[in-house]
Amino acid sequence: MNKVIINIENIYKYYGEIKALENISFSIGKGELFGLIGPDGGGKTTLIRILTTLLKPTRGNAQINGLDIVKDFKKLRKQIGYMPGRFSLYEDLTVEENLKFFATIFNTSIKENYYLIEDIYTQIEPFKDRRAGKLSGGMKQKLALSCALIHKPDILFLDEPTTGIDAVSRVELWDMLKKLKKQNLTILVSTPYMDEAKLCDRVAFIQKGKIMEINSPLTIIEEFEEPLYSVKGDDFYHLLLELRKMKITKTAFPFGDSIHLTTNRNIDTHELNDMIEKRIGARTETKKINANIEDCFMAKMINNM
Amino acid sequence: MKKDSGNYIVEVENLTKKFGSFIAVDNISFKVKKGEIFGFLGANGAGKTTAMKMLTGLLNPSSGKAIVAGWNVETNPDKVKLNIGYMSQKFSLYDDLRVNENIRLYAGIYGLKRSEIKIKINKLIGELGMENLRKKLVGDLPLGWKQKLAFAISLVHEPPVVFLDEPTSGVDPITRRQFWEMIYKASSEGTTIFVTTHYLDEAEYCTRASIMVDGQIKALDTPENLKNRFEVDNMQEVFVKLARG
């Protein structure tokens, strides 16, 4: 890891009796693209709001760029960019007015930092006189990202930028993040989509306010220990229910057009397939496979139950 | 007049919706067979929500025709609403009512008799494994439970077809799969499922899937055939190829 730019130490956040975050500690290096991966209600937004100085932790602390997130919040706000989960620009201002507004409150101008947002902003510039409220979902996002970058922050926080947007816009957004990373920006991005983990340098799995795992996606996949097979067959639901009844089965979950099966011992693929075919009385296709990130996340969830 | 729907539960012919000069849904035609899990896919702004609103009797078509559960959506929208189940992406139960109270409320709205409602509440709570949560306020349930409950409640009046609008957005990967198992179960019992999603691995679970681009249906087939036709390995790639044009 490069020089540490975000350092989080034992952060807790309680809302009354609800433990939103419990003992969160990790560091992010300069220039890293770091993913916070987990479902809704896991604590992703709370953690991002604490790091962006919008919420105070109940206990613990964190430093960003050497500044304390509570004591130095005013200074820190100039050095970070934040794109919240909900679209929060001014819908009744035009595209250009929104951008100008954010540049002005940070004492800068569009011209001064235009090079930073050029790639993204040129895609919406033809609509610069359109009100933000009238933009499509994808364009709103490009504007929000431009506004979060216009004061040239060192660190960019994005809270679920791909939630509820379609597969094409998701690909575009990740392309933009990759380009920003090349400009040595540190990026912390949260997402409920497991498949996006592989686009990050490192990820943290977060669930029910706790971090279950932090590592590079590749390492996480390599550390998956259980024997894992994919099983395909015609009557999918029936196959799933029957697989669950087999003694050798640890877990069986649908994964696209196949079922991912973990077993409690290593078994030859042909032998396993014969066993399954015998049980359901129909042809199946079984293959030994490598885990993907979602397999890993689910295994961690089960181990933590 | 109720139409005998034969093998189809949804029949759409040249359905169109215009807002001023903007054509949100452009002359779409398709049929959904009884008992199918039908995936209704498309990019943001492709017209899915508008089409869904017409099919569920919430929005009048500009032209064209749709028969859902035997009723014409334009001339009998109230009959359509009574004969379908619907679950929206925004959680639609009452947070300040308990689990059993939410079931009772919706069962009552759909006109179930008092004696039936009692049986229904017990059956539903039993099937969901929510006995311990029966008296809990719905607002205090985790998202995954809420979504499972909302789905079960959308089936409370035993409709022949249920419309699910992004039912699994934001839920954890295990709950997402449990949700799909509920869908399989309902489908195996004969209920037709009409579902939208942004998780394209879920498109693989559908009997057939359609993909909307700019108000039109650009492809409709089994996931297997779609993958073969576009010579790709998964539905994600099919989607990106089609939606990018």
Side-chain angles (χ1 to χ4, degrees):
Chain A
M1 193 169 33
N2 293 338
K3 181 176 158 260
V4 169
I5 195 161
I6 299 178
N7 182 40
I8 304 167
E9 289 170 343
N10 311 105
I11 283 200
Y12 291 75
K13 180 72 189 178
Y14 296 163
Y15 296 107
E17 293 196 342
I18 296 168
K19 296 170 179 170
L21 291 175
E22 278 191 89
N23 202 14
I24 307 286
S25 298
F26 63 89
S27 307
I28 297 176
K30 190 165 169 54
E32 233 186 326
L33 176 50
F34 190 94
L36 207 51
I37 315 277
D40 287 5
K44 301 189 298 291
T45 299
T46 301
L47 183 57
I48 288 181
R49 291 179 66 87
I50 288 173
L51 295 177
T52 49
T53 76
L54 300 169
L55 264 183
K56 279 186 192 169
T58 308
R59 276 215 314 273
N61 52 49
Q63 303 84 39
I64 297 178
N65 247 356
L67 297 170
D68 187 285
I69 52 160
V70 178
K71 278 184 263 164
D72 305 320
F73 77 95
K74 274 194 177 161
K75 265 190 206 161
L76 188 52
R77 284 183 184 178
K78 298 198 176 93
Q79 302 177 14
I80 59 178
Y82 170 51
M83 183 168 144
R86 205 175 283 171
F87 182 70
S88 38
L89 302 180
Y90 294 91
E91 305 226 342
D92 48 356
L93 293 185
T94 65
V95 167
E96 194 178 27
E97 283 167 347
N98 265 293
L99 191 59
K100 219 175 199 169
F101 175 80
F102 281 93
T104 310
I105 54 172
F106 281 105
N107 273 322
T108 181
S109 64
I110 298 178
K111 208 174 152 195
E112 199 173 327
N113 292 323
Y114 188 78
Y115 69 99
L116 261 175
I117 58 163
E118 192 172 359
D119 266 348
I120 303 158
Y121 189 64
T122 46
Q123 299 176 52
I124 49 171
E125 217 165 9
F127 311 98
K128 67 181 164 61
D129 295 326
R130 192 180 287 188
R131 286 185 189 198
K134 297 277 180 206
L135 296 175
S136 73
M139 290 203 283
K140 275 184 181 169
Q141 251 191 333
K142 284 172 188 139
L143 177 60
L145 191 53
S146 302
C147 290
L149 287 168
I150 195 62
H151 60 296
K152 203 186 173 201
D154 294 331
I155 305 126
L156 180 63
F157 293 89
L158 302 111
D159 194 6
E160 298 206 21
T162 55
T163 291
I165 71 167
D166 63 69
V168 175
S169 308
R170 279 170 61 189
V171 171
E172 281 179 4
L173 186 102
W174 280 96
D175 286 345
M176 291 189 269
L177 296 188
K178 271 184 244 165
K179 278 189 190 161
L180 289 171
K181 184 184 144 60
K182 283 191 188 135
Q183 303 183 13
N184 214 14
L185 202 67
T186 306
I187 302 171
L188 190 153
V189 55
S190 72
T191 177
Y193 294 102
M194 306 284 149
D195 58 333
E196 293 177 351
K198 63 176 183 285
L199 304 165
C200 302
D201 298 322
R202 283 193 309 146
V203 297
F205 286 171
I206 185 166
Q207 159 93 353
K208 293 184 182 164
K210 290 180 186 160
I211 304 264
M212 300 193 293
E213 166 85 39
I214 298 184
N215 228 319
S216 74
L218 200 64
T219 311
I220 291 174
I221 285 168
E222 282 169 0
E223 283 175 357
F224 189 86
E225 283 168 346
E226 284 146 18
L228 179 68
Y229 306 85
S230 90
V231 186
K232 280 188 187 182
D234 272 343
D235 190 347
F236 199 78
Y237 184 51
H238 176 67
L239 177 61
L240 180 67
L241 295 180
E242 289 301 318
L243 287 176
R244 293 246 170 90
K245 290 181 197 155
M246 293 188 353
K247 267 196 187 141
I248 196 167
T249 300
K250 203 170 165 196
T251 62
F253 288 114
F255 264 82
D257 62 351
S258 68
I259 295 167
H260 284 193
L261 177 76
T262 60
T263 56
N264 44 38
R265 65 177 166 87
N266 260 307
I267 175 169
D268 174 71
T269 309
H270 292 291
E271 194 185 327
L272 179 61
N273 197 51
D274 288 346
M275 199 191 281
I276 299 167
E277 286 188 344
K278 213 169 144 194
R279 171 150 203 130
I280 65 161
R283 291 295 300 273
T284 54
E285 192 189 326
T286 303
K287 279 186 212 155
K288 181 115 182 144
I289 54 164
N290 292 323
N292 64 32
I293 284 287
E294 199 157 5
D295 290 304
C296 300
F297 192 96
M298 288 162 69
K300 295 275 173 204
M301 277 179 75
I302 290 165
N303 291 338
N304 283 352
M305 268 174 192
Chain B
M1 273 290 286
K2 185 171 173 171
K3 181 178 175 290
D4 176 23
S5 45
N7 290 326
Y8 298 102
I9 194 80
V10 176
E11 290 174 85
V12 179
E13 268 177 47
N14 308 115
L15 195 66
T16 299
K17 182 72 194 182
K18 291 180 190 167
F19 297 107
S21 61
F22 177 68
I23 305 172
V25 173
D26 189 3
N27 203 25
I28 60 171
S29 301
F30 64 96
K31 289 176 179 180
V32 179
K33 287 180 206 143
K34 282 181 181 164
E36 265 192 311
I37 300 176
F38 189 87
F40 196 59
L41 313 176
N44 300 115
K48 275 181 322 208
T49 304
T50 305
M52 279 268 255
K53 279 190 177 162
M54 289 192 279
L55 296 181
T56 51
L58 297 172
L59 190 67
N60 255 330
S62 304
S63 61
K65 187 170 128 180
I67 308 287
V68 175
W71 296 97
N72 185 313
V73 297
E74 191 170 13
T75 51
N76 285 99
D78 291 339
K79 291 283 187 193
V80 170
K81 287 177 205 164
L82 207 55
N83 286 286
I84 62 168
Y86 177 71
M87 178 184 161
S88 91
Q89 70 189 95
K90 283 185 202 113
F91 183 66
S92 51
L93 303 181
Y94 288 87
D95 275 346
D96 49 357
L97 290 182
R98 296 172 208 284
V99 169
N100 60 329
E101 291 168 341
N102 263 290
I103 303 173
R104 191 188 305 151
L105 173 70
Y106 281 96
I109 289 172
Y110 281 112
L112 270 70
K113 290 195 197 97
R114 212 171 267 215
S115 55
E116 291 173 336
I117 293 177
K118 232 177 164 179
I119 298 168
K120 204 76 197 186
I121 291 175
N122 289 329
K123 185 168 171 259
L124 224 150
I125 288 178
E127 280 175 358
L128 287 165
M130 292 182 85
E131 286 90 350
N132 299 331
L133 303 171
R134 185 188 184 98
K135 294 279 166 86
K136 251 206 162 184
L137 291 180
V138 160
D140 293 337
L141 296 177
L143 178 71
W145 275 118
K146 285 185 184 176
Q147 294 300 82
K148 284 191 254 183
L149 180 62
F151 179 52
I153 287 179
S154 74
L155 296 173
V156 76
H157 53 304
E158 297 176 16
V161 55
V162 60
F163 290 80
L164 309 173
D165 193 3
E166 291 182 30
T168 55
S169 271
V171 306
D172 71 68
I174 292 183
T175 308
R176 195 154 75 80
R177 287 173 171 80
Q178 289 169 344
F179 193 92
W180 269 91
E181 285 178 39
M182 290 178 70
I183 292 181
Y184 285 137
K185 184 163 176 286
S187 156
S188 71
E189 289 164 359
T191 310
T192 308
I193 313 284
F194 190 100
V195 60
T196 72
T197 181
H198 283 308
Y199 291 97
L200 289 167
D201 58 328
E202 295 183 348
E204 313 261 2
Y205 307 154
C206 299
T207 324
R208 289 189 304 150
S210 70
I211 298 176
M212 258 184 113
V213 181
D214 296 336
Q216 300 177 337
I217 291 187
K218 290 286 181 193
L220 197 180
D221 213 329
T222 63
E224 198 63 40
N225 288 345
L226 287 172
K227 286 182 279 183
N228 288 338
R229 185 176 134 200
F230 291 94
E231 298 172 342
V232 292
D233 295 330
N234 56 51
M235 285 297 287
Q236 170 97 17
E237 291 172 52
V238 171
F239 185 91
V240 171
K241 269 197 166 176
L242 263 175
R244 274 198 169 158

